[in-house]
Amino acid sequence: MNCSFFIEEFIRECRDAGKIIYIALLDAKSAFDVVTHESILRKLYIAGVDGLLWKLIHSLHMDSSSVVKFNGLISEPFSICQGVKQGGILSADLYKLYINNLLTDIEHSGLGAKIGSICCAAPTCADDVALMSDNPEELQVLINMAYNYSRRERYKLQPVKSVILPVYPNRRKQQEPSFPWSIGNSIMPIVSQTTHMGSYAHQNQMILIRCMKT
């Protein structure tokens, strides 16, 4: 909901100014499964988590193993060398810490969406990352920052599933942007509608319509 709020407010800001908004929605492949334990433990320590709490989180992830149970049979144990635990209480928060350096770098760059003096260039929750700007070149710089961070932290952004959504200031038929946004050497698809954080977005709508879950 908070991510949708920032996107909605920036859309309203640009609508009043008659500007087109460009939103990049990034898809990380198996994001929670590829977190490196050494990296997340280092980030925890830098963030001020130390002592017994750090040791507890360390013991939950380092030298851990698992088994597969199928039809009443249990496999031999195998080592878990990366990733945060599926369904773990701390997993989402640990991933937020894992990705936080990227968001900080984007904020400090001064690029991308702003509402007044407030930076809102990367409304994000865990692995759902959105990058926003009213300038296509700036958006490409932000995408490059996200791509370089993914390579440094050893996870993969998927070019086919990572898309660009242009949002227009009015409902009149608009010409599709010709700017070739890319992740690495792969061109990103430009779409007219998509979903993000349980919200539906269309290029001719001024707000995001939240999907109702039943």
Side-chain angles (χ1 to χ4, degrees):
M1 295 290 284
N2 287 336
C3 289
S4 296
F5 173 75
F6 278 111
I7 297 174
E8 286 179 5
E9 288 302 305
F10 185 60
I11 290 175
R12 294 176 189 274
E13 184 94 352
C14 288
R15 177 191 62 181
D16 293 340
K19 295 180 179 179
I20 301 176
I21 303 162
Y22 307 100
I23 305 175
L25 302 171
L26 305 184
D27 185 270
K29 182 178 180 180
S30 304
F32 279 56
D33 297 330
V34 298
V35 173
T36 57
H37 293 161
E38 294 82 1
S39 180
I40 193 63
L41 289 169
R42 183 180 70 254
K43 292 178 188 296
L44 276 169
Y45 184 79
I46 293 172
V49 178
D50 54 13
L52 292 177
L53 180 56
W54 187 91
K55 290 181 179 180
L56 174 62
I57 297 173
H58 178 277
S59 68
L60 289 172
H61 292 88
M62 301 300 288
D63 300 322
S64 62
S65 62
S66 186
V67 297
V68 175
K69 184 177 181 179
F70 181 72
N71 284 344
L73 301 176
I74 299 177
S75 71
E76 292 294 322
F78 54 89
S79 298
I80 304 295
C81 300
Q82 64 183 36
V84 292
K85 295 182 181 298
Q86 294 291 331
I89 294 175
L90 290 176
S91 295
D93 288 330
L94 289 175
Y95 192 86
K96 290 174 186 177
L97 180 63
Y98 185 68
I99 201 74
N100 192 61
N101 284 357
L102 169 62
L103 307 183
T104 301
D105 290 344
I106 290 173
E107 182 179 8
H108 290 167
S109 74
L111 302 175
K114 294 183 182 65
I115 299 175
S117 61
I118 300 172
C119 176
C120 56
T124 296
C125 183
D127 59 333
D128 289 296
V129 179
L131 304 174
M132 302 193 300
S133 181
D134 57 11
N135 182 301
E137 288 83 6
E138 279 193 3
L139 183 63
Q140 183 60 63
V141 174
L142 298 180
I143 294 170
N144 292 344
M145 292 174 67
Y147 174 69
N148 291 335
Y149 187 83
S150 71
R151 296 189 66 187
R152 187 164 70 247
E153 294 294 339
R154 292 185 288 177
Y155 64 91
K156 185 177 180 181
L157 293 175
Q158 302 188 85
V160 175
K161 293 185 178 180
S162 298
V163 300
I164 301 293
L165 175 70
V167 181
Y168 300 109
N170 56 57
R171 294 178 180 273
R172 291 179 298 176
K173 187 176 181 180
Q174 304 281 346
Q175 183 177 359
E176 185 175 281
S178 59
F179 191 90
W181 289 279
S182 63
I183 294 180
N185 295 322
S186 301
I187 301 297
M188 297 174 65
I190 298 173
V191 299
S192 60
Q193 59 187 31
T194 188
T195 57
H196 176 65
M197 292 298 299
S199 296
Y200 169 77
H202 191 280
Q203 63 182 10
N204 290 324
Q205 289 179 325
M206 293 304 103
I207 61 172
L208 301 180
I209 303 173
R210 295 183 182 88
C211 299
M212 300 299 294
K213 295 183 179 179
T214 58

